[in-house]
Amino acid sequence: MKKKVNPLVPAAVVLVVLCAAYGLITWNQHKKADALAGQTEDRQIYVTNLQGLTSISWEKDGQQGLAFKKEGDTWYYQSDKDCPIRQYTVTTLADTLARLSAGRQLETPDSLDSYGLNPPAVKFSMTSEDGTSQTLMIGNQVAGTGDTAAGYASTAAEYYACLEGGSQVYTIGNYLTETSGKGLYDFVETESLPYVAGTDIKEITVTRNGATRVFSKKTVDADNNIAWYKGSPDDEANRLPDNSDLNNLAEAISGLSIQSCTTYKATDEELGSYGLSTPDMTLSWTYEKGGDTGTVTLFIGSPNDEGTGYYTRMDDSRAINLISKDAVEKCLNAVYPE
């Protein structure tokens, strides 16, 4: 009598063989990918290779641009250490300059004049943490790059570049050329208002036309219904008959957000020119959100000349910031009890 063979056994053997083959193929693919990545890194051309920058400055078309200096882990604007610098922006620039990759290296370059490198359009000077100094020169745009077709860029713009004192010419991307055209306020860290919803706001103080009014909110029953009070919420005589006006004002306040910084350190005279010596309105609000509490005071001054926003100032800051016209006017036009 023949011994019966379980039909699942051959199938299991085939499955094991297939899994082993798949594992071997996957391992070989990963190995080839790692090898290719290493070859790509080996083939990459770098214009600079500096160990951590501590200073950066630049010139554009013969005019001095900006200069930044690093102390510890913090970048500062060299002309004014009090200027609040957006660290990520300068760090990105420093990392790019320290190890600048090239698109290609010209095999037999002509004279530097041929590439707009004598004199250059842009010069970046940098110093590394070991004291090494280098100057990168950037010249003409590479012909055929950055061209537009059908209304959009068909290729990214590239530029000729070389190190000052050297003769080797490279092509690089457009990031540094574009950065050289930026102003200080492209690097300034703009203040921000805390992000809260209208329901997070518990107290509002409004000062306008010489009069100050305080409104407070509290929960009044087990169903978490709220009521607004003019003055102290401890006195039920202060309770407002309708919450809608104060809810609308709280929503308007929650919609305020700073768009840009006009000046980070205004003088008393400048405060006056922005309508902030005697603000049109002063708003102060206290909020509770996720266990955090805080109070913000915002001074609202004059509209800007373009009519797109209003100049504002937060708390005791000397920075003048712009907030959109629509957002501010929701507060200016808000209705609240006299």
Side-chain angles (χ1 to χ4, degrees):
M1 183 176 179
K2 289 186 177 180
K3 187 177 179 180
K4 292 184 177 180
V5 178
N6 190 332
L8 295 178
V9 173
V13 172
V14 172
L15 180 61
V16 170
V17 172
L18 289 174
C19 288
Y22 175 77
L24 181 61
I25 292 170
T26 302
W27 180 80
N28 281 329
Q29 288 176 337
H30 287 166
K31 188 174 180 181
K32 289 179 180 178
D34 291 342
L36 183 60
Q39 292 172 7
T40 301
E41 177 66 20
D42 290 341
R43 288 198 301 267
Q44 180 63 61
I45 302 167
Y46 291 97
V47 183
T48 59
N49 189 14
L50 298 171
Q51 186 64 40
L53 299 188
T54 56
S55 71
I56 303 169
S57 63
W58 66 82
E59 299 175 13
K60 182 178 174 65
D61 298 327
Q63 300 296 314
Q64 184 63 49
L66 302 176
F68 299 99
K69 189 171 184 178
K70 190 176 184 183
E71 295 182 13
D73 294 328
T74 304
W75 283 98
Y76 295 96
Y77 177 44
Q78 191 162 300
S79 297
D80 185 0
K81 199 172 179 180
D82 292 333
C83 181
I85 293 300
R86 188 183 302 120
Q87 295 298 306
Y88 172 78
T89 307
V90 184
T91 298
T92 300
L93 174 60
D95 291 345
T96 300
L97 286 167
R99 191 166 169 79
L100 178 62
S101 60
R104 60 191 176 95
Q105 176 180 322
L106 276 60
E107 294 295 334
T108 54
D110 296 328
S111 66
L112 297 183
D113 307 62
S114 306
Y115 308 103
L117 291 165
N118 186 29
V122 176
K123 289 173 66 173
F124 278 91
S125 298
M126 50 207 144
T127 303
S128 68
E129 57 190 25
D130 65 3
T132 302
S133 295
Q134 286 186 338
T135 297
L136 175 74
M137 305 193 300
I138 304 174
N140 296 338
Q141 183 174 328
V142 178
T145 68
D147 292 340
T148 57
Y152 58 90
S154 57
T155 58
E158 294 183 3
Y159 292 82
Y160 293 108
C162 72
L163 292 175
E164 190 172 59
S167 58
Q168 183 58 61
V169 178
Y170 307 85
T171 62
I172 62 172
N174 61 1
Y175 168 68
L176 292 175
T177 301
E178 291 182 352
T179 298
S180 69
K182 292 183 176 181
L184 176 60
Y185 284 90
D186 293 308
F187 294 88
V188 166
E189 184 69 69
T190 304
E191 294 175 333
S192 61
L193 293 167
Y195 177 74
V196 296
T199 52
D200 298 324
I201 296 174
K202 306 303 180 184
E203 183 176 293
I204 301 173
T205 301
V206 182
T207 300
R208 197 171 191 191
N209 300 324
T212 297
R213 297 170 182 83
V214 179
F215 304 98
S216 303
K217 181 175 72 176
K218 75 173 183 180
T219 302
V220 293
D221 58 33
D223 294 327
N224 292 320
N225 290 310
I226 63 96
W228 281 98
Y229 295 75
K230 183 179 178 181
S232 172
D234 297 330
D235 188 345
E236 281 300 309
N238 295 334
R239 182 169 173 171
L240 299 176
D242 186 357
N243 292 329
S244 58
D245 288 344
L246 270 299
N247 284 340
N248 289 339
L249 178 56
E251 285 298 322
I253 290 172
S254 72
L256 296 169
S257 63
I258 292 172
Q259 293 182 315
S260 60
C261 178
T262 301
T263 179
Y264 68 89
K265 192 166 64 174
T267 63
D268 289 341
E269 182 179 354
E270 287 174 322
L271 288 177
S273 67
Y274 294 118
L276 289 163
S277 293
T278 54
D280 189 6
M281 173 184 275
T282 301
L283 286 170
S284 182
W285 62 94
T286 299
Y287 63 90
E288 295 178 9
K289 182 179 181 181
D292 294 330
T293 62
T295 300
V296 180
T297 299
L298 183 73
F299 305 93
I300 299 174
S302 306
N304 64 351
D305 292 339
E306 295 77 14
T308 58
Y310 283 78
Y311 297 114
T312 65
R313 181 166 73 95
M314 281 178 58
D315 301 318
D316 59 353
S317 171
R318 303 295 289 193
I320 308 301
N321 302 305
L322 202 65
I323 296 181
S324 77
K325 174 184 176 181
D326 289 344
V328 170
E329 290 187 349
K330 286 181 181 178
C331 296
L332 294 177
N333 297 330
V335 176
Y336 48 86
E338 293 296 328

